Amino acid sequence: MMHATRRSFLKLGAAAGFASAVPFGLRAEEVPRYAPTASGWRRFELSTTLTPPAGQGATKVWLPLPDLGTDWQRTIDTRWTGNATSAAIVTDPATGTRLFAAGFDAGEAAPSLTLISTVETRNRTIDWSARTPATEDPAVLSAALAPSGLKPLDGVVRDTARQITGGATTDVDKVRALYDWIVANCHREPTVAGCGTGDIAAVLTAAGHGGKCADLNGLFVGLARASGVPARDIYGVRVAPSAFGYKQLGGNPEKLSGAQHCRAEVWLEDHGWVAMDPADVLKVMRQERPDWIRDRADPLIAPVDAALFGNWEGNWVGFNTANDLTLPGDDAGRPLPFLMYPQGVNAAGRLDELAADAFAYAITAREA
């Protein structure tokens, strides 16, 4: 089996009509052009090490697994080391999502566990001019049209979807209108904790429609479902820098505890599942440069805006597509809106998934 070598940053010369407005701090010849194309497989060893607090009674932990099995991602191996007294891959019966669960005795002085998954990924691309009819399990499509706890499909979500897609005649037209509306009317809000809560009605009713990826791509998914187009979030983590030089579209493989990212996809009869990521367009607009770029035609934004409607880069590993997931063995039985971060509970209560240093956990990746 052949594997793609580590990508280096690409700095491409400005194309025709592309150099009229040069981004802040860059010469014209350094303007990056984000354009994922069909690629070979890349292999990553993704490691999550947990050292939860000791002296707080018995501890249970749950970790998301890269368990998608698609034509753009495949898991080769999963293993673990540590002093947990129990450890197993378990399944949430309601969603079918598999995850890793472990437990530590109350007397363990230094609880520790490392979960290692070997995963292969590749760029995801689409040829919009090619008609390639696809089939899918009707139960999967039905789930991708259903509401969830934080994705209601009535009220303001239904009304907004109708306003946006009122003139659309095909599912592609609907998706295009929704993607454009998100990018034009929402914004990345850096002060939101983690990846956001995913409460799409709250995003729609808030001034400026701000949020992070779970909010913004979640809103895109909810609006698509309310428009009759099957759609779903995919929760995962960035594992390597972007090959195109965009710092906001990649992760530092030595420290990925803050690199979680939610993406989206829609089902289109002539194309199957299609990649979508309007939230990353908004992230680049807000945070790639010191100034907030509000113009989609800006030469730093335009290629990202165009590419993420149907394509994405294979420097990201997806975990699952579940909403309203219950952690098997969690005595509280409290459903999670999504599973993207390690989870834990002890006698003192729920461990804070967003406080990696206090939890404590570290996520790293190594490209083979």
Side-chain angles (χ1 to χ4, degrees), residues 265-277:
E265 61 181 0
V266 296
W267 174 263
L268 301 171
E269 287 188 359
D270 288 343
H271 302 284
W273 287 109
V274 178
M276 295 281 154
D277 200 340

Side-chain angles (χ1 to χ4, degrees), residues 200-225:
I200 67 171
V203 175
L204 279 177
T205 54
H209 309 315
K212 285 190 178 175
C213 57
D215 306 310
L216 301 170
N217 280 339
L219 176 58
F220 171 79
V221 167
L223 292 171
R225 291 181 180 184

Side-chain angles (χ1 to χ4, degrees), residues 36-360:
T37 57
S39 68
W41 291 98
R42 303 174 71 176
R43 177 172 288 197
F44 295 96
E45 187 176 85
L46 181 64
S47 298
T48 302
T49 297
L50 295 93
T51 54
Q56 297 182 1
T59 300
K60 295 180 180 180
V61 296
W62 297 265
L63 290 83
L65 287 171
D67 192 42
L68 296 178
T70 66
D71 61 359
W72 46 269
Q73 179 178 310
R74 56 196 184 193
T75 300
I76 307 301
D77 176 63
T78 297
R79 60 195 188 278
W80 72 277
T81 62
N83 55 19
T85 53
S86 64
I89 294 176
V90 297
T91 302
D92 169 36
T95 64
T97 301
R98 301 201 315 158
L99 57 153
F100 188 82
F104 301 90
D105 285 343
E108 177 56 60
S112 177
L113 179 145
T114 298
L115 178 68
I116 304 168
S117 294
T118 303
V119 187
E120 291 185 337
T121 70
R122 60 183 175 184
N123 291 352
R124 193 171 179 185
T125 61
I126 187 171
D127 179 356
W128 287 106
S129 67
R131 185 177 182 275
T132 54
T135 58
E136 179 57 282
D137 183 343
V140 172
L141 296 180
S142 178
L145 284 168
S148 69
L150 292 179
K151 288 188 181 67
L153 304 185
D154 56 2
V156 66
V157 178
R158 177 199 58 214
D159 295 344
T160 303
R162 288 176 177 174
Q163 292 170 8
I164 297 169
T165 63
T169 58
T170 69
D171 282 357
V172 174
D173 291 340
K174 291 178 181 178
V175 171
R176 177 82 258 183
L178 293 170
Y179 180 99
D180 286 344
W181 188 90
I182 294 285
V183 176
N185 293 277
C186 300
H187 73 273
R188 164 91 171 182
E189 180 46 63
T191 62
V192 168
C195 289
T197 66
D199 186 340
I200 67 171
V203 175
L204 279 177
T205 54
H209 309 315
K212 285 190 178 175
C213 57
D215 306 310
L216 301 170
N217 280 339
L219 176 58
F220 171 79
V221 167
L223 292 171
R225 291 181 180 184
S227 303
V229 181
R232 58 193 182 187
D233 303 277
I234 309 178
Y235 302 98
V237 64
R238 305 182 202 268
V239 293
S242 170
F244 301 93
Y246 284 83
K247 63 182 183 295
Q248 297 299 329
L249 300 182
N252 174 4
E254 296 181 0
K255 184 176 174 57
L256 298 174
S257 55
Q260 287 86 357
H261 179 54
C262 162
R263 286 182 154 169
E265 61 181 0
V266 296
W267 174 263
L268 301 171
E269 287 188 359
D270 288 343
H271 302 284
W273 287 109
V274 178
M276 295 281 154
D277 200 340
D280 257 358
V281 182
L282 294 169
K283 185 178 186 184
V284 172
M285 293 174 76
R286 184 66 186 266
Q287 294 183 261
E288 189 68 27
R289 291 194 328 214
D291 58 316
W292 183 350
I293 307 169
R294 298 175 184 268
D295 181 5
R296 294 173 69 178
D298 184 282
L300 196 66
I301 306 304
V304 175
D305 188 12
L308 291 179
F309 186 79
N311 312 275
W312 68 45
E313 197 176 350
N315 63 335
W316 172 88
V317 168
F319 294 136
N320 61 75
T321 62
N323 292 136
D324 300 341
L325 175 145
T326 299
L327 299 171
D330 181 8
D331 297 334
R334 182 181 63 183
L336 296 174
F338 52 83
L339 177 65
M340 187 161 42
Y341 296 84
Q343 303 291 317
V345 64
N346 60 23
R350 179 75 63 178
L351 300 175
D352 186 353
E353 64 190 70
L354 301 182
D357 293 338
F359 190 141

